[in-house]
Amino acid sequence: MATNALELSGIEAFYGDSHVLHAVTFACGPARLLGLLGRNGAGKSTCMNVTVGLLAPRRGDIFVFGHRVTGLPPEQIAARGVALVPQGRRIFKSLTVRENLVVAARAPTDGRPASWTLETVFAMFPRLGERVNHIAAYLSGGEQQMLAIGRALMGNPRVLLMDEPSEGLAPQIVHEVMNTIRKLKESGLSIVLVEQNPTLVFDVADDIVILNSGRVAVVSTPAKLKQENVDLRQHLGVF
Amino acid sequence: MTFWLVLTVNSITFGGLLFLLSAGFSLIFGLMRIPNLTHGSLFMLGAYFGATFIGGYLTLQFDFWVAAVLAALSVAVFGAVIERLLLRQLPGQQMAQVLVTLGISFMVADFCLLLWGGDPINVATPQGLAGFVRAGPAVFPLYRLGVIAIAAAIAAALWLLLDRTRLGAMIRAGVDDPDMARVVGIRVSQLFTIVFALGAGLAAFAGVVGAPILSVYPGLDQDMLPLALVVVILGGSGSLLGSFVGSIIIGFIYNFGQALFPELAYFVLFLPMLLVLILRPQGLFGRFVP
């Protein structure tokens, strides 16, 4: 069996006393796109925080291409080739567009030449190239999202985590972002895409994991879910 | 007229010294949120080190500027050790940080008293800057003008470092969002040590540069710390421009206050701080933190 790009195994995580992840186990294969779905508070972002090292799990393990990264500090997990496009974008607001990208630059972990540089990021997002010396705080929401994606790519990651990249964006921009994600997947990147909106994810995902109240409720593929006509509202609906 | 002119030059000189002292204080507070109450002690420690290197007590006698750089490096190492061994253990605990840094400042004061005694040490003005400059009826000590030039040069260098280099951008990214900075791979922990050491070294350098004007004496630390606090509160923490403008303002208020209302000097000094705290708590150039 090929090594998984990212594997969470039996993760138990807490915020203070509140138990937010219960034995969460799932894996994203190399060059595959895993859609991680669930309603608000289901634990999707907590999975992201645990994976990048911002929250230490109380039990369980995380593997990146077979290497155990559980409990490593965030900067060392980044060095193993994990990058995050965080919820709410969290770009460095007082830095310029160029600085936001440059501070995250890193050579690929496996010694290949860097495929993501300022030039290639600007080629993918020409609008960022036009605003290279602008302060990031003054970019539009869509531009900030592109910057957050560009910043993650500058680390030349092997696993890309994207936490609700469509949040708060106009439909046209969401469409652009989804096209970008498709291109990144075609380039061979392993991607975990967190979303609340299942229709966006079903278009691009190879695999689907649905979280419900901090537990893995469904592990499947978009095709199977459609074929079985599973009622997603049970897991994703507000009621 | 001469009186005002001399007072103005003295104000700018003192402002320059205050900038060297408070730039590090501001960066440490802005980036690491550590209220470093040892900062006055680092200034005094630098001054004592410098005086010792210059005075030839260590069999070797150093040139003034070599001594200043050596003192800055020694105190920078001392600062890095404090940061790594003590402050690192207390992340985010500001009350504990206040107490620890205050405690260290008492220990440094005692240590200095033990080693250098209670008598003030006078440090000679460096060779080449000992003369005077005559401008009409006014006479300025050349050294004071030199201090202004040095402070301006260091301000420019710090600005270049913070604003024009990748390291500076990483430091600012760490100020903006420390967690996210770590997630993109920035070793924020190392940056903290670098910033702390840089701030400590600058304070020590200021201590040596200020020594020919202020001399070196027990209590110098407690004289300087409140001034650094006022500058940073006035200018806004984490802002180099804020430290610069705040230092010049306080330099003027301090000198003019002492000359014109000597009995109210401290009142005049702290009044603007109170006003800023009430009207603009983030300081003149600080970033608004809701």
Side-chain angles (χ1 to χ4, degrees):
Chain A
M1 193 186 90
T3 327
N4 283 317
L6 174 69
E7 191 175 329
L8 274 67
S9 162
I11 298 291
E12 306 274 350
F14 292 71
Y15 282 124
D17 282 338
S18 87
H19 195 168
V20 276
L21 294 181
H22 301 263
V24 167
T25 298
F26 63 81
C28 174
R32 290 180 78 82
L33 194 151
L34 175 88
L36 186 58
L37 293 165
R39 55 167 84 91
N40 254 334
K44 308 185 297 295
S45 290
T46 308
C47 287
M48 300 293 99
N49 287 341
V50 164
T51 307
V52 297
L54 285 178
L55 179 69
R58 198 165 294 183
R59 269 188 298 281
D61 272 312
I62 303 140
F63 299 93
V64 175
F65 282 95
H67 294 284
R68 185 169 172 276
V69 300
T70 324
L72 291 183
E75 50 272 31
Q76 285 186 31
I77 293 180
R80 300 291 172 90
V82 178
L84 171 68
V85 179
Q87 191 175 20
R89 307 186 271 269
R90 288 176 75 171
I91 50 164
F92 301 120
K93 289 209 166 71
S94 70
L95 273 58
T96 64
V97 167
R98 181 198 299 276
E99 286 171 341
N100 262 281
L101 298 172
V102 166
V103 296
R106 169 190 297 281
T109 39
D110 47 9
R112 284 173 298 129
S115 49
W116 291 105
T117 59
L118 280 179
E119 289 71 36
T120 49
V121 168
F122 290 152
M124 177 160 244
F125 302 113
R127 287 235 286 286
L128 292 182
E130 292 161 18
R131 286 159 174 70
V132 62
N133 289 319
H134 288 218
I135 299 290
Y138 303 128
L139 298 180
S140 72
E143 289 162 355
Q144 291 191 3
Q145 189 62 64
M146 292 169 194
L147 183 55
I149 297 173
R151 180 180 64 180
L153 294 175
M154 287 295 285
N156 285 291
R158 305 169 80 191
V159 180
L160 180 64
L161 312 173
M162 306 182 90
D163 198 348
E164 305 210 18
S166 71
E167 190 189 28
L169 298 181
Q172 174 57 35
I173 311 288
V174 172
H175 184 72
E176 275 181 46
V177 168
M178 294 315 286
N179 276 340
T180 305
I181 294 173
R182 215 168 272 125
K183 274 188 225 162
L184 293 175
K185 183 187 148 191
E186 280 159 18
S187 78
L189 203 52
S190 315
I191 301 175
V192 177
L193 175 61
V194 170
E195 265 300 337
Q196 289 204 55
N197 179 351
T199 43
L200 282 179
V201 178
F202 274 45
D203 274 354
V204 290
D206 301 304
D207 305 288
I208 297 284
V209 168
I210 301 180
L211 290 180
N212 198 343
S213 307
R215 292 184 167 81
V216 174
V218 175
V219 179
S220 187
T221 65
K224 258 196 248 166
L225 285 171
K226 273 179 197 156
Q227 193 186 5
E228 294 163 6
N229 210 5
V230 175
D231 187 5
L232 289 175
R233 280 176 306 176
Q234 181 193 336
H235 300 294
L236 301 174
V238 182
F239 300 106
Chain B
M1 183 59 199
T2 310
F3 170 74
W4 298 109
L5 209 58
V6 170
L7 209 51
T8 301
V9 169
N10 284 350
S11 301
I12 301 177
T13 302
F14 195 60
L17 271 185
L18 285 181
F19 172 76
L20 296 181
L21 172 69
S22 61
F25 187 83
S26 171
L27 284 181
I28 290 169
F29 193 65
L31 173 63
M32 306 160 71
R33 314 259 179 261
I34 293 177
N36 178 28
L37 298 188
T38 54
H39 219 72
S41 316
L42 300 172
F43 181 93
M44 180 171 75
L45 205 55
Y48 272 121
F49 279 3
T52 308
F53 294 146
I54 296 163
Y57 300 106
L58 304 170
T59 66
L60 272 173
Q61 196 169 358
F62 290 97
D63 169 71
F64 183 91
W65 299 110
V66 176
V69 171
L70 280 180
L73 290 177
S74 324
V75 175
V77 171
F78 177 63
V81 170
I82 292 179
E83 198 276 329
R84 278 275 148 175
L85 294 188
L86 293 172
L87 296 173
R88 183 54 54 93
Q89 316 301 324
L90 308 163
Q93 304 172 44
Q94 289 210 333
M95 186 54 86
Q97 291 164 352
V98 164
L99 292 175
V100 163
T101 53
L102 194 63
I104 298 171
S105 80
F106 292 145
M107 288 164 70
V108 169
D110 254 12
F111 171 77
C112 290
L113 197 60
L114 186 79
L115 213 63
W116 285 285
D119 293 329
I121 302 175
N122 289 309
V123 173
T125 311
Q127 287 174 348
L129 289 176
F132 291 86
V133 178
R134 200 171 286 280
V139 176
F140 306 110
L142 188 58
Y143 184 64
R144 304 216 163 195
L145 301 178
V147 170
I148 296 175
I150 290 166
I154 289 183
L158 278 179
W159 176 76
L160 283 176
L161 171 74
L162 280 175
D163 225 66
R164 287 286 177 267
T165 66
R166 182 165 183 249
L167 179 69
M170 285 175 161
I171 291 174
R172 282 178 288 128
V175 176
D176 267 7
D177 189 337
D179 277 347
M180 199 55 221
R182 298 183 71 192
V183 169
V184 303
I186 298 172
R187 283 186 263 185
V188 175
S189 147
Q190 268 185 15
L191 288 184
F192 278 10
T193 308
I194 292 173
V195 167
F196 204 94
L198 179 69
L202 276 175
F205 186 75
V208 184
V209 170
I213 301 171
L214 303 168
S215 83
V216 194
Y217 55 91
L220 179 62
D221 51 346
Q222 300 305 332
D223 284 349
M224 296 312 284
L225 179 64
L227 295 173
L229 280 171
V230 180
V231 165
V232 170
I233 290 171
L234 198 63
S237 70
S239 158
L240 205 58
L241 181 64
S243 298
F244 190 77
V245 175
S247 297
I248 300 296
I249 293 175
I250 294 301
F252 270 90
I253 293 177
Y254 186 80
N255 277 278
F256 277 76
Q258 288 218 322
L260 302 178
F261 326 100
E263 61 284 2
L264 288 176
Y266 261 67
F267 182 83
V268 177
L269 192 59
F270 286 96
L271 187 66
M273 182 184 94
L274 287 183
L275 289 178
V276 163
L277 276 177
I278 293 165
L279 299 173
R280 199 179 153 80
Q282 73 270 34
L284 297 176
F285 297 92
R287 290 153 347 119
F288 178 67
V289 183

